[in-house]
Amino acid sequence: MQCSYFDAGRCRSCALLEQPYAAQLGGKERHCRHLLAAHPGVQWLPPVASRESAYRNKAKMVVGGTVQRPTLGILDAEGRGVDLSECGLYSARLQGCFPALADFITRAGLTPYDVPRRRGELKYLLVTESPDGELMLRFVLRSEEPVGRIRKHLPALLAALPQLRVVSVNLHPEHKAVLEGEREIVLTEQETLRMGLNGIDLHLRPQSFFQTNTDVAAALYRQARDWVDEAAPASVWDLYCGVGGFALHVADPARDVTGIEVSPEAIASAELTRRDAGLRRVRFEADDATAFALAADDAPDLVIVNPPRRGIGAELAGWLESSAARQVIYSSCNAVSLARDLDAMPSLRPRRARVLDMFPHTAHYEVVVLLERA
């Protein structure tokens, strides 16, 4: 992928961009194999490649510049806005909405947040695109002060971008390197964005997590579904389930599936999909994954874990090691923490593994591993 921003030194986020894509993918698999080298006998399935461009379904745009001339992109070392509205990681449809959003900032008088001076209101625009081209837009603000102006001018924005389905404001009053705050104000009648994957309509609420690369996420869920169907367990837990991607993909009339996620927003989304699909043997609960497991009377036949970068940690790894679960499917975005967690579960042996390139041109990747009780 050719990138004028990278060539000009304005953005270096795609640190591997100068490497041929095949070399990037091969390097990621070698890195993962090296980290899991203490576990011999793993069958490595061919890595899942991504599109090299236009693969991101979410744009996390730092808003800089001024009300009259806003920038959408990142900040430089001095805290000044760098416009990346033509970044090749975004689809043409995402790129096409940025001029209207910049115009809306001016029309509604939304002052970009000045990080060095700690002044202004609008910190980020978060735009998510569904496979059908529908959009969810979130304004991350310091306070409620601009909300009235956003409401006033929102009809004009919806007319300019008819693909907008969900619009919300996230309140993030603190000056710290966190993307969003806890409080969300939904401004549209529709509250969820429909994300269709593998014939399943997942529902995404503003504060719910969803994988950045839709195509590769679909491949990840298919891989887990194939392994679960092959094992044919009577019961499955999906821990750190998010909006229910794994749980809903492995649902079957012959098995009980439980999804656990700490975010009530994500659980509400998962419940909506479950009800729409009429899945009576699937249930979701808002809880901490480790606390849920430690408090449970029994273990399921198979556990799926999809933790954040820190991994599942010693407590949950210890519970899995001593549990009666026969198999574990571990989906990881950080192979370093994965390797550490595997060392804490010696009786659960990695049998198959697959690298999925969720983030081309960066050192990051996803890996999914099937573990079986020795």
Side-chain angles (χ1 to χ4, degrees):
M1 184 182 80
Q2 189 69 26
C3 177
S4 60
Y5 300 121
F6 185 91
D7 294 342
R10 297 175 65 188
C11 176
R12 289 280 171 163
S13 298
C14 293
L16 304 184
L17 190 60
E18 293 177 311
Q19 292 186 22
Y21 182 64
Q24 295 181 33
L25 190 58
K28 293 178 183 186
E29 184 176 26
R30 287 192 298 274
H31 179 259
C32 192
R33 284 179 180 245
H34 171 73
L35 289 172
L36 303 190
H39 305 277
V42 177
Q43 177 190 2
W44 287 88
L45 302 179
V48 175
S50 168
R51 288 180 290 170
E52 296 183 44
S53 63
Y55 69 82
R56 288 188 65 95
N57 58 31
K58 179 181 285 187
K60 301 177 181 180
M61 310 300 274
V62 181
V63 183
T66 66
V67 174
Q68 296 301 321
R69 298 187 65 182
T71 60
L72 306 180
I74 60 174
L75 299 179
D76 65 15
E78 284 72 44
R80 296 179 301 234
V82 177
D83 194 88
L84 300 179
S85 56
E86 296 182 4
C87 172
L89 300 185
Y90 305 128
S91 69
R93 289 181 295 195
L94 268 179
Q95 290 184 22
C97 79
F98 296 146
L101 296 180
D103 179 69
F104 183 83
I105 291 170
T106 303
R107 183 191 299 259
L110 305 178
T111 306
Y113 183 57
D114 187 320
V115 173
R117 294 177 176 81
R118 302 192 180 189
R119 297 175 183 170
E121 280 290 344
L122 180 58
K123 293 184 172 183
Y124 305 98
L125 292 181
L126 309 179
V127 190
T128 303
E129 180 186 14
S130 78
D132 295 331
E134 297 181 338
L135 299 177
M136 175 164 62
L137 168 64
R138 303 172 66 202
F139 296 90
V140 181
L141 301 172
R142 288 185 71 196
S143 75
E144 287 190 64
E145 187 276 326
V147 173
R149 298 196 302 278
I150 292 175
R151 289 186 187 275
K152 175 183 177 181
H153 295 284
L154 185 56
L157 180 62
L158 294 173
L161 297 174
Q163 66 271 42
L164 263 181
R165 293 292 179 268
V166 183
V167 179
S168 69
V169 165
N170 178 270
L171 298 180
H172 182 15
E174 298 178 271
H175 180 86
K176 60 182 182 181
V178 177
L179 188 64
E180 61 188 69
E182 295 182 1
R183 186 180 172 199
E184 197 86 17
I185 304 171
V186 180
L187 305 179
T188 49
E189 182 177 352
Q190 185 170 325
E191 297 185 355
T192 66
L193 185 68
R194 186 173 59 85
M195 305 290 287
L197 270 77
N198 302 319
I200 298 173
D201 282 341
L202 302 175
H203 291 273
L204 186 63
R205 290 176 182 265
Q207 290 184 295
S208 302
F209 168 79
F210 194 81
Q211 298 282 7
T212 300
N213 190 321
T214 303
D215 292 343
V216 178
L220 173 64
Y221 293 138
R222 289 194 301 270
Q223 182 63 77
R225 181 186 62 197
D226 290 347
W227 285 344
V228 171
D229 286 347
E230 181 181 332
S235 54
V236 174
W237 287 357
D238 177 9
L239 304 182
Y240 310 93
C241 71
V243 297
F246 285 108
L248 294 161
H249 274 79
V250 305
D252 186 277
R255 70 176 62 108
D256 294 315
V257 179
T258 301
I260 302 298
E261 168 60 48
V262 73
S263 166
E265 281 271 317
I267 289 298
S269 299
E271 265 294 300
L272 181 56
T273 304
R274 185 199 66 78
R275 290 196 303 268
D276 287 351
L279 300 172
R280 298 182 179 179
R281 297 190 67 174
V282 178
R283 75 179 186 94
F284 293 100
E285 181 179 330
D287 199 351
D288 174 78
T290 300
F292 174 83
L294 294 179
D297 294 329
D298 300 300
D301 295 334
L302 187 149
V303 179
I304 301 171
V305 293
N306 183 30
R309 291 189 60 79
R310 65 178 180 271
I312 62 174
E315 275 194 294
L316 184 52
W319 182 88
L320 286 168
E321 169 66 15
S322 61
S323 76
R326 300 196 308 267
Q327 291 157 317
V328 173
I329 294 175
Y330 194 135
S331 177
S332 170
C333 62
N334 181 4
V336 174
S337 59
L338 167 65
R340 182 173 62 244
D341 290 337
L342 293 183
D343 289 342
M345 302 183 289
S347 69
L348 287 162
R349 305 285 179 81
R351 299 302 187 195
R352 302 179 203 168
R354 191 169 205 177
V355 167
L356 301 99
D357 194 11
M358 199 75 71
F359 311 100
H361 316 306
T362 77
H364 302 293
Y365 57 87
E366 195 88 11
V367 58
V368 61
V369 183
L370 173 63
L371 314 175
E372 294 183 344
R373 184 76 61 184

